[in-house]
């Protein structure tokens, strides 16, 4: 296929650097609305005060260009590459990592990546990023950045359920995951769920589900109902904002489903905290 769009690595570096800073400084409008709606709906005085503090914290972070949270996270990058796009002047992954490197340095963001999970030596620049890429039709390059803190990421779980566990088994596992996590992931949380595929793919489905804007319904009616069932069960746990009790424990539950083996039912849960930091840029 003929190349229709050429995008330089210099431009990618610049845009990724900006994404790193903007995501850590500015909450998206869908997150702010979810927090505001939760503040208005919450009946617990303590939880209501916490929601007010979270909104004030977000306001200060945006105005002062300071991190919303001290844990500025691992850089998780999702890339959609149009088949008509050519990357010039270098390697795409190298450019993304250089953008992360610059963004975390220029934004004075905490560097949290270690070069080896056992020896634990800090890389000093928050690289390498965790990069997921896929080819799509068209002539655009879409880059989505997510800052994923350890408090919520550490509460992730996966289970290889049996087909006999069915819908009830899925719901029970997701709810139990949030119940076990308690205050650790800094609720109110967003709960990403991946159902199907394989052991590894279910986890990716769960993480990708977190990219969907809060307040939007799933396009599949049955999945949309499943999300609401799980959300109601989670909010009935009474964990509440910051684990101090209240009605709102989760702002949303997002589910992704995928075909799987006749003998398998993989289910993964990936939790994100109230500082839900996601930014996207499209280059063409």
């Amino acid at each position: 296929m003929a190349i229709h769009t050429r995008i330089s690595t210099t431009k990618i570096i610049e845009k990724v650097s900006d994404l790193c800073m903007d995501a850590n400084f500015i909450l998206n409008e869908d997150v702010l609305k979810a927090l505001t709606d939760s503040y208005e709906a919450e009946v617990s005085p303590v939880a209501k005060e916490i929601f007010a503090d979270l909104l004030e914290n977000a306001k200060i972070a945006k105005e002062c260009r300071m991190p919303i949270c001290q844990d500025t996270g691992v850089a998780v990058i999702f890339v959609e590459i149009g088949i008509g796009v050519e990357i010039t002047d270098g390697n795409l992954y190298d450019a993304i990592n250089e953008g992360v490197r610059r963004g975390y340095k220029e934004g004075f963001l905490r560097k949290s990546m270690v070069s080896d999970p056992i020896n634990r030596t800090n890389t000093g620049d928050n690289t390498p990023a965790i990069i997921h890429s896929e080819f799509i039709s068209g002539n655009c390059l879409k880059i989505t950045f997510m800052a994923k803190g350890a408090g919520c990421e550490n509460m992730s779980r996966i289970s290889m359920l049996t087909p006999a566990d069915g819908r009830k088994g899925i719901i029970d596992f997701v709810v139990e995951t949030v119940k076990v996590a308690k205050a650790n992931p800094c609720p109110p949380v967003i709960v990403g769920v991946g159902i199907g595929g394989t052991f590894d793919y279910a986890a990716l489905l769960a993480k990708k589900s977190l990219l969907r804007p809060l307040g939007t319904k799933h396009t599949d009616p049955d999945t949309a109902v499943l999300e609401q069932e799980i959300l109601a069960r989670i909010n009935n746990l009474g964990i509440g904002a910051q684990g101090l009790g209240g009605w709102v424990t989760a702002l949303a539950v997002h589910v992704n489903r995928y075909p799987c083996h006749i003998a398998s039912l993989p289910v993964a849960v990936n939790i994100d905290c109230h500082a839900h930091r996601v930014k996207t840029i499209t280059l063409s």
Side-chain angles (χ1 to χ4, degrees):
M1 179 177 178
I3 300 298
H4 296 285
T5 302
R6 289 181 170 84
I7 301 173
S8 71
T9 55
T10 300
K11 188 173 185 180
I12 294 169
I13 291 168
E14 176 189 342
K15 295 302 182 181
V16 170
S17 175
D18 290 342
L19 284 176
C20 293
M21 290 184 280
D22 288 346
N24 273 291
F25 300 153
I26 306 168
L27 283 182
N28 289 336
E29 287 301 318
D30 62 318
V31 184
L32 292 172
K33 184 180 186 305
L35 291 172
T36 300
D37 291 347
S38 297
Y39 167 79
E40 294 172 353
E42 185 57 72
V43 295
S44 163
V46 173
K48 203 172 186 71
E49 184 176 344
I50 291 171
F51 276 109
D53 288 342
L54 296 179
L55 287 164
E56 178 66 14
N57 180 69
K59 179 175 180 289
I60 293 170
K62 180 179 180 179
E63 290 175 350
C64 299
R65 298 282 294 177
M66 296 178 65
I68 297 160
C69 175
Q70 53 83 24
D71 185 351
T72 52
V74 56
V76 181
I77 310 285
F78 290 88
V79 188
E80 295 179 14
I81 310 164
I83 57 176
V85 172
E86 178 187 7
I87 307 300
T88 64
D89 308 320
N91 177 278
L92 174 62
Y93 278 30
D94 289 344
I96 289 172
N97 276 307
E98 180 59 26
V100 170
R101 188 175 292 112
R102 293 187 189 184
Y104 273 73
K105 180 180 179 181
E106 293 173 13
F108 298 98
L109 306 176
R110 196 182 82 182
K111 289 79 174 174
S112 300
M113 292 296 285
V114 295
S115 59
D116 181 87
I118 297 176
N119 296 328
R120 315 299 293 183
T121 301
N122 198 296
T123 63
D125 58 14
N126 218 56
T127 67
I130 307 299
I131 306 173
H132 305 282
S133 58
E134 62 180 308
F135 286 104
I136 59 171
S137 60
N139 305 310
C140 295
L141 177 69
K142 183 178 178 182
I143 302 174
T144 299
F145 168 88
M146 174 189 288
K148 200 66 166 63
C152 55
E153 186 72 2
N154 289 350
M155 296 298 104
S156 304
R157 294 173 74 196
I158 190 166
S159 180
M160 301 302 289
L161 301 180
T162 68
D165 290 318
R167 190 185 190 97
K168 182 181 183 300
I170 292 169
I171 295 173
D172 288 346
F173 174 67
V174 177
V175 174
E176 180 66 17
T177 298
V178 177
K179 183 179 179 180
V180 169
K182 297 180 180 177
N184 290 311
C186 294
V189 295
I190 299 96
V191 183
V193 183
I195 305 171
T198 54
F199 176 86
D200 55 316
Y201 199 68
L204 180 58
L205 289 170
K207 179 140 292 164
K208 286 183 73 173
S209 75
L210 295 173
L211 304 181
R212 200 175 96 211
L214 303 188
T216 59
K217 286 188 176 181
H218 199 285
T219 54
D220 173 57
D222 185 58
T223 302
V225 170
L226 179 63
E227 290 175 341
Q228 290 306 307
E229 289 179 8
I230 297 173
L231 180 62
R233 284 274 305 273
I234 288 172
N235 283 334
N236 280 331
L237 292 173
I239 294 171
Q242 298 301 291
L244 296 176
W247 170 245
V248 183
T249 297
L251 300 176
V253 173
H254 291 173
V255 174
N256 277 340
R257 293 157 75 162
Y258 196 83
C260 64
H261 191 281
I262 56 172
S264 294
L265 180 55
V267 180
V269 180
N270 193 232
I271 300 175
D272 206 8
C273 64
H274 65 83
H276 181 56
R277 296 158 293 178
V278 177
K279 295 289 181 182
T280 299
I281 187 74
T282 300
L283 305 177
S284 59

